[in-house]
Amino acid sequence: MSERSDLANPILNGPYDIPSQHFEMGPKGPTGQTLAGRRPSESFVPVAGSIKGGDGSVQDMLEFEGMVERRETNTLINAIRREVDLWRSNNYPRATPTSRKLMLFWADEYRENRVLFCQREAVETAIYLHEVAGREGVFHDFRKQVETYNVQYNDALPRMALKMATGTGKTVVMAMLIAWQTLNRVAAPRDARFVRRFLVVAPGVTIRDRLRVLVPGSPGNYYAERDLIPPELVEPLGQAQLAIVNYHAFLPRESKDVKGVATATRRLLLADRSDNPFLETDDLVVERVLRDVGRGKGPLMVLNDEAHHCYRDRPIESTEAKALKLSTEDKNEAKQANEDARVWFKGLQALRRHPDVNVKAVWDLSATPYFLKGSGYSEGFIFPWTVSDFSLMDAIESGIVKVPRLPVDDDAAGDEVAYRDLWESVGSDLGKNKLRDTELKDWVMPARLEGAIRSLYANYEQSYREWDERLRTLDEPPPVFIVVCPNTSVSRLVKEWVEANFVLFANDSGLTTILVDSVQLESGEPLKGDFKAMAAAEIETYKSEYRRRNPGADTDKLTDADLLREVLNTVGKRGKLGEQVRCVVSVAMLTEGWDANTVTHILGIRAFRSQLLCEQVVGRGLRRRSYALGDDGRFAPEYANVYGIPFAFIPSEHDVGPAVPSVPPVEVTSLAGREQFRIEFPVVDGYRTEVQDAPLVFDPGPESRLTIGQDSVPRWTQLEPIAGEGERVEQDLSDARPQRVAFEIANQLLKTYFAPGDEERRPWLFPRLLTVTRQWLAECVHIEEGYGVGRLLLAEARAQASERLYHAIASLDSNRSPLVMPLLRRGEPQRSTDSVNFLTRKATVETMRSQVSHVVLDGRDGNTWEQLMAAELELNRRDVAAYAKNDRLGFAIPYVHKGVNHAYLPDFLVRLTHREGDVQRFLIIEVSGGQKSPGSTREKADTALNRWCPAVNNDGGFGRWGYVEITTMIDLRQQIQAAIDSHYADGDVIGDTDLQDLSPREARRGA
């Protein structure tokens, strides 16, 4: 592990002072040395990088695919910063008297409610550019450069952006901008530089509602609460006129006159018109949006909050799309983001074109004013019209935000840090619709995900104990643990799981754990779909709590969405509905503007396809709880522990090669006239084992043994910030009682192997299975030093243990062996090769003795082993009646690996030549090699040979089946022939004959 003694305290500067020093950044991250002066504005954000499997260095480059600009110094921002610093040091020459009075008031170090330096700097930059730049030939006119960018990117809209890290107070800056403009306008009504009419645009209803604090005189307004205005200027500030909307307000609405007109009548009235006369025109939209700022002409200032959602997208050429390598999901997200941005941007254009509106300036505020992937610009390219920057690293060094700590080392097997990018290892099990109908009792959480949740929760318990001891008596809200999930199904299961497994998150009473869908809540529309159904019970709880807190309130006037939004928005707020929430499980990324300052732990369970998204999600946990200054004039460090979010910065300057010509697809189909090569096969969904009630015999073999030691789930995880104190999170399961472990494994064994269906529960077997389990734990489980049997309590490990134990139960003390039977699919117990039809660009080989036209070869460039196998099957006319490559046939062998159900698709199905007096025989062939991935090879082969084949053969209605795995191409023909001969002789290829009743089906029925 790396040594960071020189970086023990990440806070170098006071929050109200001009930064006077910063950490030196070397090629591999912080060097441990501090440099004098302000950190230059650059387009990267350093964080602690993985040191596991490397040289202990910290990666320091935030870079997006195809994005070279992210490495460059932001020359415009740095030049403006130098000019503003000099202007400030000279007591703001050429500023108006009102502006100078405000700036000196904000800079007063004896104020009780001081303004952070980053907030002052942002507003001073705006004042300098608006009032001073270009005057008298002394002050450089940066506005000309910004105007050039606006012509190029914004259709000449007068935009300027202020970049401020999440948690540094953008809303306070907006209030300061409104005060500066309004008070100057009142003091000099004829000065055309100033306005008292403002349009504030937000990306959603949460931020829109929260921005009501910008209205002078409103309850909780920032001018009074933050003491932003000298007492003598409070009254004139009341002349400010504000309209606060979410950008959806720019969407044209239908005329009231047409709302009762039938659809058919509307179509008749529209006829062949290309426009819709029933929709508002752009001018009518503007007049409606500006209704709150008064009628008549007059200058207007626009403030865009979270302005990275507002841009003019550029169509992407096909060559650029290939270079960007956009996935389908990326394209869908980019399409939606561009549509939303287009609504916002066109609304601003309509404002500028309206004859009665004079847009003087558009100020953009965002922590991440970058172009998004799919916007038509390089992902992460900073908005060129950005004029001020207070970055996340600046905020950390000034102590204004929490310091994110990410996993950098652990003792799990492999070089990757287990909990840094969870989606890479668990995403395939949690994708869209994969868990749609899964109930919690049937869900086996992936081991690494369970390990991550348990590890982070163990650390949360420590934070909770500290809160309980120090802050509870002060009526401070508890710490908050947030989980960001990819879809509704995963969020539902995770919420139910943490409620069931973690006592601090159990919803036995009150509002402890909540489930939210940020996208639905932000739309402002009524709840719908799965989320509405899932939230029904919780909504009733919230209503009861709301009635208790607000006696006599009419909850019927509250919509479900309003209530859930109120809970979410008041998480961590003393005396509010969400005050006692400890865990927030989100269906999508928690909404921007969510300002809970009690977040201490973040778990990301979703794909993070860009570092921009990583920064935004981590930003949900950066707001500080305490703003108490220490004796040294600085804040004490606060931290947020983050798992599952790969906030790493990896260069990607690789060249994108020339486009590969598209290969025309091949149609693979079942051919008419080849019915003689038809193969029928059963559709098996599972297995049922007939077990006698006699005592079970414990007879372990090598496959029954298990070693508990280093695996993919670490015992400890080291968390590090870019600077500051690290933390080691221990996850010790060694003290688990062996009795509990035996109980859990025996229960798993009963449910999985001896009573798989709800209708077949056999509780009387449990005591016998528990006895065998204890014997297995004592004789077959080897525990390496430093580990404990409690490791088997993790769901995936528990499932693996039950698999090994099942192999140790060889027979019963009875004259009859257990019999495995198939669970056939209801309504479709059998399929065949006569309905195949699909297109493929994979390599193919045409067939002659198959009903299916081609053998499709696995692998990008084909598979020599499969090609050789197909050739041998074509040539064997004596014993091979028909064959087919198992591609899109619908043939699968269900098997269980680590407690999770999987479907195994072997390579070939072969119908053997029927011999007189014999049953019809079939052979399954697996070709292991070439392009194959080993995967769970043993479980697949063992299930195929010793469960699927015996089960189907015991059924007796589908002929007799065998299985062979080819692991080398040497003497291939002889291997195939040996398997066929074994099959005809009921040899090893049909599986364990002790598990099968090979007597004719009719004879068994007669018996």
Side-chain angles (χ1 to χ4, degrees):
M1 296 188 299
S2 64
E3 294 291 330
R4 293 187 169 202
S5 57
D6 293 334
L7 301 174
N9 187 350
I11 300 178
L12 302 178
N13 306 298
Y16 306 112
D17 307 321
I18 301 172
S20 59
Q21 53 184 336
H22 64 278
F23 287 114
E24 179 186 50
M25 287 293 170
K28 298 181 180 179
T31 64
Q33 301 298 316
T34 57
L35 300 179
R38 180 78 180 275
R39 174 181 300 284
S41 174
E42 296 177 290
S43 291
F44 65 86
V45 183
V47 301
S50 170
I51 62 176
K52 185 178 181 183
D55 59 0
S57 65
V58 179
Q59 297 164 319
D60 70 322
M61 187 61 63
L62 171 55
E63 174 124 323
F64 301 95
E65 190 166 52
M67 181 58 235
V68 177
E69 294 89 342
R70 294 289 289 175
R71 292 189 172 189
E72 294 182 354
T73 300
N74 297 321
T75 54
L76 174 62
I77 295 172
N78 288 318
I80 294 175
R81 180 185 289 173
R82 287 191 295 270
E83 290 281 339
V84 172
D85 286 347
L86 180 62
W87 179 62
R88 182 191 306 115
S89 65
N90 288 322
N91 201 24
Y92 310 112
R94 301 303 178 189
T96 69
T98 299
S99 296
R100 183 181 292 107
K101 185 174 187 176
L102 286 172
M103 288 186 286
L104 292 174
F105 181 74
W106 294 329
D108 184 359
E109 64 182 89
Y110 299 106
R111 284 166 45 92
E112 182 176 346
N113 200 343
R114 297 182 67 182
V115 176
L116 297 174
F117 171 76
C118 61
Q119 298 164 346
R120 289 172 47 207
E121 182 186 55
V123 180
E124 287 170 350
T125 301
I127 295 174
Y128 175 87
L129 292 172
H130 202 73
E131 296 183 22
V132 180
R135 294 192 64 180
E136 302 174 1
V138 176
F139 302 97
H140 187 78
D141 196 357
F142 298 100
R143 295 173 301 176
K144 293 180 180 179
Q145 188 172 349
V146 176
E147 287 171 4
T148 300
Y149 290 138
N150 280 328
V151 170
Q152 181 179 356
Y153 293 94
N154 293 315
D155 194 25
L157 276 169
R159 298 179 71 177
M160 292 189 187
L162 303 174
K163 180 176 178 289
M164 299 182 67
T166 299
T168 55
K170 294 190 297 295
T171 307
V172 171
V173 169
M174 285 191 277
M176 294 166 73
L177 291 172
I178 290 168
W180 156 58
Q181 281 284 308
T182 301
L183 295 174
N184 271 288
R185 181 72 177 186
V186 172
R190 296 183 181 276
D191 193 331
R193 294 176 296 175
F194 303 107
V195 308
R196 62 184 182 90
R197 301 201 309 165
F198 304 88
L199 174 65
V200 182
V201 188
V205 294
T206 294
I207 299 179
R208 180 201 65 190
D209 295 342
R210 190 168 61 82
L211 292 178
R212 297 300 301 173
V213 297
L214 297 177
V215 179
S218 66
N221 75 84
Y222 273 10
Y223 312 99
E225 187 172 295
R226 303 297 179 92
D227 189 26
L228 295 179
I229 305 300
E232 65 272 20
L233 297 180
V234 171
E235 184 177 348
L237 180 64
Q239 296 188 34
Q241 295 176 297
L242 276 77
I244 304 174
V245 300
N246 49 322
Y247 74 88
H248 307 82
F250 289 129
L251 289 168
R253 298 177 182 175
E254 283 192 336
S255 168
K256 295 180 181 179
D257 299 333
V258 78
K259 287 192 175 179
V261 179
T263 303
T265 305
R266 292 190 194 191
R267 283 199 294 264
L268 182 63
L269 293 172
L270 288 173
D272 296 328
R273 297 184 59 158
S274 58
D275 62 325
N276 186 347
F278 304 132
L279 287 179
E280 293 174 323
T281 63
D282 285 352
D283 285 352
L284 289 176
V285 169
V286 169
E287 290 165 15
R288 169 173 52 78
V289 168
L290 296 182
R291 190 177 299 141
D292 291 340
V293 300
R295 294 183 175 275
K297 298 181 179 180
L300 177 80
M301 177 179 284
V302 178
L303 300 173
N304 290 327
D305 198 11
E306 306 298 344
H308 52 275
H309 293 294
C310 177
Y311 54 85
R312 181 177 63 175
D313 61 299
R314 183 171 64 90
I316 303 177
E317 302 295 334
S318 58
T319 53
E320 292 179 276
K322 290 177 181 176
L324 286 172
K325 299 180 181 178
L326 295 179
S327 66
T328 301
E329 199 165 358
D330 284 333
K331 291 176 183 176
N332 292 337
E333 287 187 6
K335 180 181 178 183
Q336 185 60 56
N338 287 339
E339 289 175 357
D340 295 342
R342 202 172 297 127
V343 171
W344 195 333
F345 187 85
K346 287 185 175 180
L348 299 184
Q349 289 178 309
L351 281 172
R352 189 188 57 179
R353 289 194 300 264
H354 194 284
D356 293 337
V357 179
N358 177 14
V359 178
K360 298 295 294 184
V362 179
W363 284 101
D364 296 335
L365 291 100
S366 172
T368 54
Y370 307 120
F371 285 107
L372 306 175
K373 180 182 286 188
S375 64
Y377 302 95
S378 296
E379 183 191 16
F381 177 32
I382 192 170
F383 287 173
W385 56 95
T386 305
V387 295
S388 176
D389 175 25
F390 201 85
S391 69
L392 177 57
M393 198 62 201
D394 291 323
I396 290 172
E397 289 168 340
S398 295
I400 297 171
V401 298
K402 291 191 179 87
V403 185
R405 290 193 289 212
L406 289 83
V408 298
D409 199 8
D410 59 40
D411 68 338
D415 288 339
E416 79 278 10
V417 180
Y419 299 153
R420 195 172 181 100
D421 187 358
L422 279 174
W423 192 254
E424 190 70 20
S425 57
V426 305
S428 59
D429 296 323
L430 305 178
K432 189 176 182 181
N433 296 326
K434 286 199 172 185
L435 299 172
R436 183 176 180 84
D437 299 318
T438 302
E439 297 297 325
L440 180 63
K441 63 183 179 63
D442 300 320
W443 184 42
V444 178
M445 182 182 289
R448 183 162 286 184
L449 175 57
E450 183 179 354
I453 294 181
R454 289 188 182 277
S455 172
L456 201 57
Y457 176 77
N459 188 252
Y460 174 86
E461 285 183 308
Q462 179 179 334
S463 298
Y464 185 88
R465 285 193 297 270
E466 294 172 358
W467 165 81
D468 192 41
E469 293 168 2
R470 298 190 301 108
L471 298 177
R472 184 195 284 270
T473 56
L474 302 176
D475 292 327
E476 285 288 330
V480 173
F481 184 118
I482 64 177
V483 186
V484 180
C485 299
N487 54 55
T488 302
S489 300
V490 174
S491 62
R492 170 180 57 83
L493 289 168
V494 169
K495 176 181 179 289
E496 293 174 359
W497 193 92
V498 299
E499 285 179 311
N501 287 275
F502 298 149
V503 63
L504 293 179
F505 296 160
N507 270 332
D508 297 329
S509 60
L511 307 172
T512 300
T513 299
I514 64 172
L515 176 66
V516 297
D517 184 330
S518 300
V519 174
Q520 286 203 35
L521 294 182
E522 279 306 288
S523 69
E525 299 296 328
L527 299 181
K528 57 187 177 181
D530 294 343
F531 180 71
K532 181 178 181 181
M534 287 190 301
E538 295 169 31
I539 287 171
E540 290 306 312
T541 303
Y542 302 154
K543 285 184 177 179
S544 299
E545 180 68 7
Y546 188 85
R547 294 188 195 100
R548 187 184 70 79
R549 291 173 178 266
N550 303 276
D554 185 3
T555 57
D556 293 333
K557 292 183 179 180
L558 284 172
T559 68
D560 295 344
D562 289 338
L563 202 54
L564 291 177
R565 198 179 299 117
E566 171 67 11
V567 175
L568 175 63
N569 292 343
T570 57
V571 169
K573 302 291 194 303
R574 188 183 302 177
K576 301 294 185 179
L577 196 59
E579 175 184 12
Q580 294 303 317
V581 169
R582 301 170 193 164
C583 180
V584 178
V585 182
S586 175
V587 177
M589 187 179 82
L590 283 165
T591 178
E592 292 154 318
W594 189 61
D595 60 346
N597 66 356
T598 51
V599 175
T600 54
H601 296 76
I602 304 174
L603 177 64
I605 314 174
R606 59 157 293 169
F608 292 91
R609 287 178 295 276
S610 73
Q611 289 300 310
L612 178 59
L613 181 58
C614 292
E615 185 174 350
Q616 289 172 337
V617 175
V618 170
R620 303 290 81 80
L622 295 184
R623 297 184 188 277
R624 292 184 60 91
R625 181 192 281 266
S626 171
Y627 290 88
L629 279 179
D631 294 338
D632 59 355
R634 302 174 187 175
F635 293 148
E638 292 184 3
Y639 298 91
N641 290 351
V642 182
Y643 281 10
I645 300 176
F647 204 3
F649 310 119
I650 304 171
S652 58
E653 297 181 58
H654 56 275
D655 294 329
V656 178
V660 178
S662 178
V663 178
V666 173
E667 182 181 21
V668 181
T669 186
S670 300
L671 297 174
R674 289 197 185 179
E675 289 76 11
Q676 71 272 27
F677 300 121
R678 187 174 192 261
I679 298 177
E680 294 180 339
F681 51 86
V683 181
V684 177
D685 285 337
Y687 314 96
R688 174 173 57 88
T689 305
E690 294 182 358
V691 182
Q692 303 285 345
D693 285 343
L696 302 174
V697 172
F698 181 64
D699 185 18
E703 71 280 3
S704 303
R705 304 195 178 277
L706 180 68
T707 297
I708 297 176
Q710 188 183 48
D711 56 24
S712 65
V713 179
R715 291 173 299 172
W716 55 262
T717 296
Q718 182 70 24
L719 295 166
E720 291 287 351
I722 187 65
E725 294 182 4
E727 183 172 21
R728 180 165 167 145
V729 180
E730 304 283 351
Q731 187 179 6
D732 188 8
L733 297 173
S734 60
D735 60 348
R737 297 173 60 225
Q739 296 92 326
R740 179 191 169 197
V741 175
F743 184 94
E744 295 291 347
I745 294 174
N747 189 47
Q748 179 93 20
L749 185 67
L750 176 65
K751 290 192 300 182
T752 304
Y753 296 101
F754 295 99
D758 289 341
E759 72 283 356
E760 298 178 14
R761 297 206 178 277
R762 306 169 73 181
W764 59 87
L765 286 177
F766 183 77
R768 303 172 191 177
L769 292 173
L770 184 58
T771 299
V772 173
T773 301
R774 287 170 176 161
Q775 191 174 357
W776 175 78
L777 285 170
E779 298 180 18
C780 297
V781 177
H782 171 69
I783 303 175
E784 294 182 352
E785 185 177 354
Y787 292 84
V789 73
R791 201 78 166 172
L792 298 181
L793 291 176
L794 296 175
E796 188 173 294
R798 189 170 66 243
Q800 184 182 20
S802 67
E803 290 175 22
R804 301 290 176 89
L805 179 53
Y806 178 73
H807 289 299
I809 303 174
S811 63
L812 303 171
D813 284 324
S814 172
N815 293 327
R816 184 184 174 200
S817 297
L819 207 62
V820 182
M821 299 297 293
L823 295 175
L824 301 175
R825 180 165 299 175
R826 294 180 181 178
E828 192 185 21
Q830 183 171 301
R831 288 179 178 170
S832 71
T833 56
D834 60 4
S835 58
V836 176
N837 187 264
F838 63 91
L839 297 176
T840 183
R841 284 190 167 88
K842 289 183 178 181
T844 60
V845 176
E846 292 189 27
T847 66
M848 296 295 293
R849 298 175 55 75
S850 174
Q851 188 179 14
V852 181
S853 60
H854 296 78
V855 168
V856 179
L857 305 177
D858 292 333
R860 186 178 61 183
D861 300 318
N863 187 313
T864 304
W865 286 32
E866 291 180 350
Q867 191 169 353
L868 290 173
M869 176 60 67
E872 289 297 332
L873 294 175
E874 287 279 357
L875 292 172
N876 192 336
R877 294 177 177 268
R878 187 188 72 172
D879 294 323
V880 175
Y883 79 98
K885 175 70 188 301
N886 184 29
D887 196 329
R888 322 289 175 94
L889 295 184
F891 178 79
I893 294 176
Y895 72 101
V896 178
H897 179 54
K898 296 184 178 180
V900 179
N901 293 320
H902 298 276
Y904 166 35
L905 278 64
D907 292 316
F908 290 91
L909 301 185
V910 179
R911 174 162 56 85
L912 301 181
T913 302
H914 182 252
R915 295 180 179 179
E916 187 175 354
D918 193 10
V919 295
Q920 179 64 65
R921 295 180 181 269
F922 302 87
L923 182 63
I924 303 168
I925 300 179
E926 171 69 20
V927 181
S928 297
Q931 302 289 341
K932 296 291 183 183
S933 173
S936 50
T937 305
R938 189 185 65 80
E939 287 81 1
K940 293 178 182 179
D942 183 71
T943 302
L945 182 62
N946 293 316
R947 286 183 69 78
W948 193 93
C949 287
V952 172
N953 292 342
N954 285 332
D955 180 88
F958 303 97
R960 192 160 300 165
W961 290 73
Y963 172 87
V964 64
E965 185 175 12
I966 304 296
T967 59
T968 176
M969 288 291 104
I970 299 174
D971 298 326
L972 176 61
R973 183 171 301 175
Q974 289 82 348
Q975 290 186 71
I976 297 172
Q977 192 60 54
I980 292 173
D981 292 343
S982 175
H983 200 328
Y984 280 124
D986 287 335
D988 292 342
V989 298
I990 70 168
D992 190 346
T993 54
D994 289 338
L995 301 177
Q996 303 179 52
D997 185 348
L998 300 180
S999 58
R1001 192 179 192 187
E1002 293 75 14
R1004 281 187 277 143
R1005 285 178 175 173

